[in-house]
């Protein structure tokens, strides 16, 4: 799903709350060493310990400096890398277009363990850097091996690697730094640089590639424990089958909708209920369809494993409000139609999932207008001669005027005849360079099984979705007849 520069500069779907380093309390130390379940039991009143256990958190936050980062023999490289929130004008690292040093880049910066908070699974077998878009996660080797087995089984385009990196000690276990490696459709260029290119940047294309789909916008919705499924082929902002399923959930007032009925509704030709977003949002608000959601394995009950993924869809209301909360909220213009995220790993106890995600970051023209053009313009004009006749960019210039002036500036700087002889080629190559960079701007994220930790709840809380519905998705059937399902 395409994202605007305004969205990227502000909040993002599923941004983890908190994460600021803070002094570790005695309770936090107990969480770190004994786990959430033990702490919940320890602090429970004696009279309550015989009752059914209450919901417990599956993810804990460990402040930077609170875990063991003692260097081990043979380890090298950074512990953590932070990815900038928006592109900046930076010096390029060679390649095309020739003679153009300045590029648009999401800057990367190393972060030491003293300044890197962690979000740790309850069983301590994996941990993710507690920032917005972490570039690595840490896990025991068994997590990596199990994940790679599942990823290979579906024909995923990536596998996870740990060799030669750092390790940290968390809760008595040694966790290894984990990164993705492209194994399917890889090119020499995609493997170069500090972070590999996932070859695509849009959320659904990345997810489909990671779950082994043969198509960049086709996934299989999986309901229940895998007892039912139907194809998803979203357009620019929605999917008709997902909309029909949401309509069926909204109308399930007596809680009888099962997997078979849900699949039939999704694949049927009946139009969704009138004002779908409002109807569905109000129906699911405050647990209003909790039993139905649990039976179908949707929303907070969606729990894909490695090699599968999440798909979350907005159900738009006629008044454009989010009715899944009370009172209904105006989310503004930054509402996403959908977002997909592939699961690439899971804690050994199965309660926490790690996704590998990205989204379209198509701000080249906007950022070029505001900053890159001015930097290049000043450098070209300083060369004297006819360069001094180049015209500055005006606020009144439309898109075509901007492109023409931008091409003139680039033509003044590029000396290679093979690059400059074709009109617009330097600009197109510069844009392709930026788009390739965005394919390396992926990030990991962790989701848990405790209250508020699920993919659905974190994404809904981000404010990027109206009346959201989350589905577990997997690799669709292969072959030319799959689209007819």
């Amino acid at each position: 799903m395409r994202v605007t520069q305004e969205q990227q500069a502000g909040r993002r779907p599923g941004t983890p709350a908190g994460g600021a380093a803070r002094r570790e309390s005695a309770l936090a130390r107990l969480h770190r060493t004994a786990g959430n379940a033990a702490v919940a039991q320890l602090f429970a009143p004696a009279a309550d310990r015989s009752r059914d256990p209450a919901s417990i958190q599956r993810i804990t936050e460990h402040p930077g400096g609170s875990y063991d980062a003692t260097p081990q023999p043979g380890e090298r490289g950074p512990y953590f890398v932070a990815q900038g929130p928006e592109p900046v004008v930076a010096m390029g690292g060679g390649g095309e277009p020739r003679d153009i040093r300045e590029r648009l880049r999401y800057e990367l910066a190393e972060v030491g363990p003293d300044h890197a908070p962690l979000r740790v699974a309850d069983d301590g077998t994996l941990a993710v850097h507690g920032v917005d878009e972490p570039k690595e996660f840490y896990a025991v080797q068994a997590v990596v091996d199990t994940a790679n087995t599942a990823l290979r089984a579906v024909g995923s385009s990536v596998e996870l690697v740990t060799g030669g990196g750092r390790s940290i000690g968390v809760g008595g276990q040694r966790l290894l730094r984990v990164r993705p490696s492209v194994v399917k459709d890889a090119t020499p260029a995609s493997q170069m640089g500090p972070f590999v290119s996932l070859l695509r940047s849009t959320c659904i294309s990345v997810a489909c590639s990671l779950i082994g789909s043969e198509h960049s916008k086709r996934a299989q919705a999986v309901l229940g424990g895998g007892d039912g499924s139907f194809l998803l082929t979203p357009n620019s902002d929605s999917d008709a089958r997902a909309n029909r399923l949401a309509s069926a959930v909204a109308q399930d007032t007596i809680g009888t909708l099962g997997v078979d009925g849900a699949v039939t509704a999704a694949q049927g030709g009946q139009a969704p209920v009138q004002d779908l977003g409002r109807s569905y949002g109000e129906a699911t608000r405050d647990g209003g369809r909790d039993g139905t959601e649990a039976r179908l394995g949707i929303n907070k009950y969606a729990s894909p494993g490695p090699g599968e993924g999440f798909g979350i869809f907005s159900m738009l209301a006629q008044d454009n409000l989010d009715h899944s909360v009370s009172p209904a909220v105006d989310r503004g213009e930054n509402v996403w139609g959908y977002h997909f995220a592939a699961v690439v790993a899971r804690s050994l106890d199965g309660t926490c999932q790690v996704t590998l995600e990205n989204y379209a970051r198509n701000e080249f023209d906007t950022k070029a207008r505001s900053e890159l053009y001015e930097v290049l313009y000043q450098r070209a004009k300083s060369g004297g001669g006819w360069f001094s006749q180049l015209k500055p960019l005006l606020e009144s210039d439309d898109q075509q005027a901007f492109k023409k002036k931008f091409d003139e500036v680039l033509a003044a700087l590029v000396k290679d005849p093979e690059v400059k002889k074709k009109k617009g080629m330097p600009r197109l190559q510069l844009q392709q360079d930026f788009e390739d960079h965005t394919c390396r701007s992926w990030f990991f994220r962790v989701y848990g099984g405790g209250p508020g930790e699920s993919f659905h709840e974190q994404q809904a809380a981000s404010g990027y979705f109206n009346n959201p519905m989350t589905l577990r998705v997997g690799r669709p059937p292969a072959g030319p007849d799959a689209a007819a399902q």
Side-chain angles (χ1 to χ4, degrees):
M1 185 65 185
R2 187 180 185 278
V3 190
T4 65
Q5 182 180 10
E6 180 182 356
Q7 286 174 297
Q8 294 171 17
R11 61 196 176 182
R12 289 175 178 81
T15 301
R22 55 182 178 271
R23 185 176 302 165
E24 187 180 34
S25 66
L27 179 58
R29 285 194 297 274
L30 279 170
H31 274 291
R32 176 167 54 84
T33 57
N36 284 302
V39 173
Q41 182 70 7
L42 178 64
F43 282 84
D48 292 337
R49 292 183 188 175
S50 60
R51 301 178 183 176
D52 292 336
S55 297
I56 55 173
Q57 191 176 8
R58 298 298 201 277
I59 299 174
T60 56
E61 293 187 11
H62 292 214
S66 66
Y67 49 90
D68 179 14
T70 305
Q72 303 296 301
E75 293 183 355
R76 62 184 184 276
Y79 280 92
F80 301 94
V81 175
Q83 181 168 284
E86 59 180 299
V88 298
V89 177
M91 300 302 289
E96 300 291 355
R98 298 164 203 169
D99 308 317
I100 303 298
R101 303 190 301 266
E102 294 81 359
R103 309 290 174 87
L104 291 178
R105 286 287 184 268
Y106 289 91
E107 290 189 311
L108 302 173
E110 290 189 19
V111 180
D114 286 347
H115 304 285
L118 295 178
R119 307 189 75 218
V120 183
D122 186 54
D123 67 354
T125 59
L126 65 81
V128 179
H129 189 189
V131 293
D132 193 6
E133 296 187 355
K135 301 294 287 185
E136 64 280 288
F137 71 96
Y138 282 77
V140 298
Q141 189 63 47
V143 164
V144 177
D145 293 342
T146 302
N148 280 336
T149 297
L151 293 171
R152 290 165 188 154
V154 299
S156 177
S157 60
V158 305
E159 65 180 16
L160 304 178
V161 295
T162 58
R166 296 291 185 177
S167 68
I168 56 176
V170 181
Q173 301 199 73
R174 203 73 194 173
L175 309 183
L176 308 174
R177 186 172 186 243
V178 184
R179 291 172 293 165
S181 175
V182 177
V183 296
K184 183 180 178 183
D185 302 326
T187 65
S190 73
Q191 304 287 50
M192 294 174 62
F195 295 101
V196 299
S197 170
L198 296 184
L199 308 178
R200 301 181 178 94
S201 62
T202 55
C203 67
I204 188 170
S205 296
V206 169
C208 285
S209 174
L210 298 185
I211 66 175
S213 176
E214 293 183 344
H215 194 282
S216 63
K217 290 189 71 173
R218 185 176 297 157
Q220 192 84 347
V222 180
L223 299 182
D227 300 324
S229 63
F230 59 89
L231 200 63
L232 292 168
T233 55
N235 57 29
S236 61
D237 59 7
S238 66
D239 183 276
R241 297 176 185 91
N243 291 348
R244 290 194 289 266
L245 174 59
S247 178
V249 171
Q251 296 178 80
D252 186 31
T253 57
I254 57 176
T256 59
L257 181 64
V259 170
D260 290 343
V263 172
T264 299
Q267 294 179 330
Q270 185 173 352
V273 65
Q274 187 176 10
D275 200 358
L276 173 61
R278 181 168 193 148
S279 176
Y280 170 81
E282 291 179 348
T284 56
R285 187 171 62 207
D286 298 328
R289 292 291 185 272
D290 192 71
T292 301
E293 293 171 1
R295 276 195 308 280
L296 301 183
I298 67 173
N299 294 344
K300 67 180 180 181
Y301 296 102
S303 185
E308 299 179 313
F310 295 100
I312 182 170
F313 296 85
S314 285
M315 301 298 153
L316 299 183
Q318 291 178 0
D319 57 8
N320 294 319
L321 298 182
D322 182 4
H323 293 273
S324 67
V325 295
S326 182
V329 174
D330 183 354
R331 302 295 186 190
E333 298 180 356
N334 294 333
V335 173
W336 291 28
Y338 61 82
H339 178 61
F340 279 69
V343 175
V344 293
R346 180 163 55 186
S347 59
L348 291 184
D349 68 1
T351 63
C352 292
Q353 299 144 311
V354 175
T355 58
L356 180 54
E357 308 178 33
N358 206 350
Y359 51 86
R361 304 164 187 261
N362 301 327
E363 324 104 305
F364 180 86
D365 283 346
T366 302
K367 199 69 177 180
R369 277 176 179 271
S370 60
E371 295 182 32
L372 183 56
Y373 176 89
E374 183 63 24
V375 171
L376 294 173
Y377 168 72
Q378 293 298 336
R379 182 156 72 88
K381 195 171 182 179
S382 66
W386 73 270
F387 294 176
S388 62
Q389 301 175 22
L390 292 169
K391 298 178 181 179
L393 190 67
L394 306 175
E395 288 188 10
S396 58
D397 285 341
D398 60 14
Q399 190 78 354
Q400 288 304 114
F402 163 65
K403 290 181 178 179
K404 182 175 184 297
K405 291 182 178 181
F406 199 75
D407 287 342
E408 290 175 350
V409 169
L410 289 174
L413 294 173
V414 174
K415 301 178 178 63
D416 190 321
E418 291 300 315
V419 176
K420 69 184 301 180
K421 69 180 181 181
K422 187 174 181 180
K423 185 177 179 181
M425 180 59 71
R427 173 174 52 84
L428 292 177
Q429 289 189 319
L430 193 61
Q431 183 162 349
Q432 289 171 0
D433 173 80
F434 175 68
E435 290 172 350
D436 174 71
H437 180 66
T438 66
C439 291
R440 304 172 193 269
S441 298
W442 45 262
F443 53 94
F444 290 110
R445 190 161 285 156
V446 62
Y447 301 97
E453 294 175 351
S454 70
F455 177 92
H456 177 77
E457 290 165 302
Q458 289 193 42
Q459 297 286 349
S462 73
Y464 271 92
F465 300 93
N466 275 349
N467 314 298
M469 180 176 68
T470 296
L471 301 174
R472 169 188 169 193
V473 300
R475 180 181 65 179
D481 297 331
Q485 291 189 15

